[in-house]
């Protein structure tokens, strides 16, 4: 999901990881229909074998792992992440949702050694593949981990969600900030926006569908969406602190002052989220 150079490669700064973890959780809370829509898409492309084993690659706080455990009640989910911080948060959530017995965590740096895993029926990689040093190699590892006939569901961001698109000149500010972030990503996280269809095919997968899910929440936003707006704009403000014009920085500071976003009737949540469902033949 949302992106800036502060969280490339898992981020080992706990303050930063904690902010990213909050953002990932808020995203799932603000868009409660999104992950169920993705897991339904996975279900619709399954072959006739039951789903028993699922891999969540770069699982973060486990919003995907939990949605998958819910959708496939007979499956065990292995959630892999480089970050102990994320995996601890994930285990806490699994306990709270009473699925701790079916969600297992594995700490691993997927750039150095792919973990030894039993073949899975479904693998889920959400906004994690672009973090790896060599996505082509990671896709080859994923291919080898998925059983023949099994599925890879890949979600990759295009950009951060937008909140100010209906807010007059603030929309221009958001556009300017996104342009700077895109340039930053090109330098620091070069695989964001890679040609995933081509890479999936090159790795041997057969693409079953590519779905662009469009999100457009309008006012009044639920509290979690307003909080997501605050966290996202705060990340933009911090990440771009020395690159924003003084006017843009001041406008963002005003927007981020307590309760300001809550009282803006023109706040929206807009995003486009591509998902690929690909089969290992
Ligand atoms: C943007 S988050 C996405 C988390 C989750 N999949 C989601 O969509 O909410 C990316 C995750 O990938 C993990 N990650 C980054 N590089 C990794 C690596 N080399 N090996 C394993 N995990 C990695 C990070 O720690 C982080 O939790």
């Amino acid at each position: 999901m949302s992106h800036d150079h502060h969280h490339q490669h898992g981020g080992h700064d706990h303050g930063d990881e904690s902010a990213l973890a909050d953002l990932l959780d808020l995203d799932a809370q603000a868009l409660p229909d999104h992950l169920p829509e993705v897991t339904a898409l996975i279900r619709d492309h399954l072959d006739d074998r039951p789903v028993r084993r699922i891999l969540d690659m770069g699982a973060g706080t486990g919003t995907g792992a939990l949605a998958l455990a819910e959708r496939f009640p007979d499956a065990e989910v292995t959630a892999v992440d480089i970050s102990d911080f994320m995996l601890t948060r994930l285990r806490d959530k699994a306990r709270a949702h009473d699925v701790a017995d079916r969600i297992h965590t594995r700490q691993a740096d997927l750039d150095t050694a792919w973990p030894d895993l039993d073949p899975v029926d479904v693998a889920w990689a959400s906004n994690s593949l672009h973090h790896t040093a060599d996505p082509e190699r990671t896709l080859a590892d994923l291919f080898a981990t998925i059983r023949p006939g099994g599925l890879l569901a890949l979600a990759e961001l295009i950009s951060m969600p937008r909140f100010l698109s209906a807010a007059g000149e603030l929309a221009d500010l958001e556009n300017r900030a996104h342009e700077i972030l895109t340039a930053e990503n090109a330098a620091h996280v070069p695989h964001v926006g890679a040609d995933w269809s081509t890479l999936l095919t090159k790795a041997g997968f057969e693409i079953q569908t590519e779905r662009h899910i469009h999100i457009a929440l309008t006012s009044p936003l639920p509290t979690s969406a307003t909080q997501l707006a605050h966290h996202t704009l705060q990340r933009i403000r911090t990440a771009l602190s020395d690159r924003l014009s003084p006017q843009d920085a001041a406008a963002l500071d005003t927007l981020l002052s307590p309760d300001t976003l809550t009282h803006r009737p023109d706040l929206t949540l807009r995003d486009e989220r591509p998902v690929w469902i690909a089969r290992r033949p």
Side-chain angles (χ1 to χ4, degrees):
M1 62 144 301
S2 53
H3 222 279
D4 60 69
H5 66 287
H6 283 269
H7 70 266
Q8 61 178 326
H9 289 269
H12 298 286
D13 169 331
H14 278 309
D16 193 48
E17 283 198 308
S18 167
L20 173 60
D22 288 346
L23 202 65
L24 298 173
D25 282 345
L26 271 177
D27 192 83
Q29 282 165 30
L31 301 169
D33 300 333
H34 180 66
L35 283 166
E37 187 174 344
V38 175
T39 60
L41 197 61
I42 296 172
R43 178 203 56 204
D44 292 347
H45 288 87
L46 293 171
D47 61 11
D48 52 10
R49 288 175 56 181
V51 177
R52 298 268 189 247
R53 268 197 292 269
I54 298 174
L55 166 66
D56 184 357
M57 187 216 116
T61 60
T63 55
L66 280 169
L68 287 161
E70 194 172 316
R71 173 72 67 192
F72 302 109
D74 297 327
E76 307 265 323
V77 183
T78 301
V80 178
D81 204 285
I82 193 173
S83 160
D84 273 327
F85 182 89
M86 293 289 181
L87 292 177
T88 302
R89 174 95 70 113
L90 189 157
R91 282 191 296 271
D92 289 346
K93 263 194 347 224
R95 267 194 298 276
H97 286 80
D98 232 8
V99 283
D101 56 331
R102 291 197 292 120
I103 299 190
H104 316 288
T105 57
R106 187 86 74 87
Q107 194 272 331
D109 178 354
L110 297 172
D111 286 337
T112 54
W114 189 262
D116 184 23
L117 298 167
D118 288 330
V120 299
D121 304 293
V122 172
W124 166 240
S126 165
N127 295 319
S128 49
L129 191 53
H130 68 255
H131 282 281
T132 61
D134 181 356
E136 283 194 46
R137 199 189 65 206
T138 311
L139 279 171
D141 288 330
L142 279 165
F143 188 89
T145 304
I146 296 167
R147 66 151 169 91
L151 297 178
L152 169 62
L154 173 67
E156 276 290 335
L157 60 87
I158 294 179
S159 73
M160 297 171 101
R162 286 169 192 258
F163 300 94
L164 306 175
S165 47
E169 62 193 34
L170 286 174
D172 297 336
L173 157 63
E174 193 170 48
N175 287 338
R176 283 194 292 280
H178 276 249
E179 270 169 32
I180 306 174
L181 279 177
T182 303
E184 284 280 301
N185 282 340
H188 294 281
V189 204
H191 303 303
V192 170
D195 180 355
W196 299 112
S197 300
T198 299
L199 291 176
L200 283 166
T201 307
K202 212 168 150 188
F205 289 101
E206 287 172 356
I207 296 176
Q208 308 296 297
T209 190
E210 175 182 343
R211 179 80 56 93
H212 287 240
I213 298 174
H214 290 269
I215 289 160
L217 299 191
T218 50
S219 183
L221 293 185
T223 306
S224 50
T226 307
Q227 287 172 334
L228 181 66
H230 195 279
H231 271 63
T232 304
L233 294 169
Q234 183 64 63
R235 276 181 91 79
I236 289 180
R237 174 72 181 91
T238 308
L240 303 184
S241 56
D242 49 352
R243 270 147 299 174
L244 292 169
S245 70
Q247 293 82 351
D248 282 352
L252 265 181
D253 286 341
T254 305
L255 213 52
L256 289 166
S257 57
D259 284 339
T260 304
L261 285 179
T262 321
H263 294 117
R264 284 203 74 108
D266 49 6
L267 207 62
T268 65
L269 198 179
R270 288 177 202 280
D271 207 2
E272 179 186 344
R273 302 192 174 188
V275 180
W276 289 258
I277 306 291
R279 187 182 309 283
R280 173 180 168 164

